[in-house]
Amino acid sequence: MTGVLTIEHSAGEATHGRPRPPTPEPGTAGSGLRPPTTRPPRPLVRVLLCEDQEVFRLGLRVVLETQPDMAVVAETSHVAEALDVVDGPGAQVIVVAQGLVGPSGVPLLRSLCQRGTGVLVLAETRARGDAGLIEVLQAGVRGVLPRRSAAQSLVDAVRSLARQETALDAAVTSQLVRHLTGDAEPVGAGGRAVDQLTERQRDVALLVAEGLSNEEIAGRLFLSPATVKSHLTAVLRRLDIRTRTQLAILVNRDQEPAA
């Protein structure tokens, strides 16, 4: 009777009795598989919002915080407060409404820019504020968009400023060029005084003309009395007048129908 040789194959042995080389662990040399990689987290662009209208400010926050690389670290309704707050959370970009700047706010913007903070001014496109925009650009501001820009334009501008790049809207740039070259429509004696104001300044001026106090205007516009006072000061300076009474006379005269 012929014997039958039976070879039992154990782990690590080939079918012909030779040792089988050990199987490389995944991710080691010779395994043919790449080790799992972990992408480093993208650094967040830290944004400070300077806007006195709560609904508008909330909209800005929602737009920016839907981006995976952005975070709103603080909010304020005054440029002076922005200067105090910016060092705390370390904001890289400040988004500020043009109506909050005024002549007294230009030096504050200059100080922010000198610190290396990117400043994005949301311009009042309906107001004839070309000279005001020129002042903020001379202060070092490198970002200007119309106040009612598309959400993606806002996001792109914030990213550009965080990279120390310029973010100037084409329409705003053309408007400034026309102003510098003398092609802009002049505001003469025939123009209305309120047309020289930003949208928020115009709201305040019209309510002053109705005889409302600062506290009443604050309640009507959902602003703080301090913010109303700041707007009113800017209005008086821009129109080159000194008192509320003069402002009321000027605005009411504008409202009278032409003879």
Side-chain angles (χ1 to χ4, degrees):
M1 180 174 179
T2 304
V4 178
L5 178 62
T6 302
I7 302 177
E8 296 180 0
H9 305 291
S10 60
E13 293 182 344
T15 56
H16 298 291
R18 290 176 294 181
R20 177 182 297 171
T23 302
E25 292 295 330
T28 60
S31 67
L33 299 176
R34 294 183 179 181
T37 58
T38 302
R39 295 183 179 179
R42 182 183 299 182
L44 289 177
V45 177
R46 299 179 301 278
V47 184
L48 168 64
L49 301 179
C50 186
E51 167 62 56
D52 63 334
Q53 296 186 49
E54 183 179 10
V55 173
F56 200 85
R57 186 171 64 245
L58 290 174
L60 292 174
R61 174 184 279 276
V62 169
V63 169
L64 295 175
E65 292 202 329
T66 55
Q67 305 303 311
D69 59 335
M70 293 185 184
V72 175
V73 295
E75 299 177 1
T76 179
S77 57
H78 299 282
V79 178
E81 291 177 0
L83 194 63
D84 296 333
V85 172
V86 67
D87 290 334
Q92 298 167 270
V93 178
I94 295 180
V95 180
V96 55
Q98 181 189 0
L100 295 181
V101 178
S104 62
V106 173
L108 300 177
L109 293 185
R110 180 179 295 108
S111 179
L112 289 168
C113 294
Q114 289 173 346
R115 298 183 184 193
T117 305
V119 178
L120 176 62
V121 173
L122 301 182
E124 302 279 0
T125 53
R126 284 170 45 188
R128 298 174 182 177
D130 302 331
L133 290 180
I134 291 174
E135 288 179 355
V136 301
L137 292 174
Q138 290 174 334
V141 172
R142 292 295 175 263
V144 178
L145 285 182
R147 183 173 172 81
R148 303 192 182 279
S149 295
Q152 190 59 50
S153 298
L154 172 69
V155 170
D156 293 341
V158 170
R159 287 199 180 108
S160 295
L161 290 170
R163 296 192 299 264
Q164 303 296 315
E165 298 173 357
T166 299
L168 296 177
D169 179 78
V172 172
T173 302
S174 298
Q175 184 180 358
L176 293 174
V177 169
R178 290 195 301 271
H179 178 79
L180 292 172
T181 57
D183 293 333
E185 181 183 354
V187 181
R192 298 194 312 162
V194 293
D195 290 337
Q196 304 177 49
L197 308 176
T198 67
E199 182 177 357
R200 181 53 79 190
Q201 290 170 354
R202 185 163 49 248
D203 293 339
V204 171
L206 291 173
L207 292 177
V208 167
E210 292 181 15
L212 275 65
S213 66
N214 285 1
E215 289 73 17
E216 292 170 328
I217 295 174
R220 184 79 64 88
L221 299 179
F222 302 100
L223 303 173
S224 69
T227 299
V228 173
K229 183 178 179 181
S230 176
H231 285 310
L232 180 57
T233 300
V235 168
L236 298 179
R237 185 181 292 109
R238 179 164 294 185
L239 298 181
D240 194 24
I241 53 181
R242 294 185 177 183
T243 68
R244 300 171 69 98
T245 302
Q246 290 176 315
L247 175 60
I249 293 173
L250 194 60
V251 171
N252 286 321
R253 187 181 63 190
D254 286 343
Q255 305 305 311
E256 293 177 358

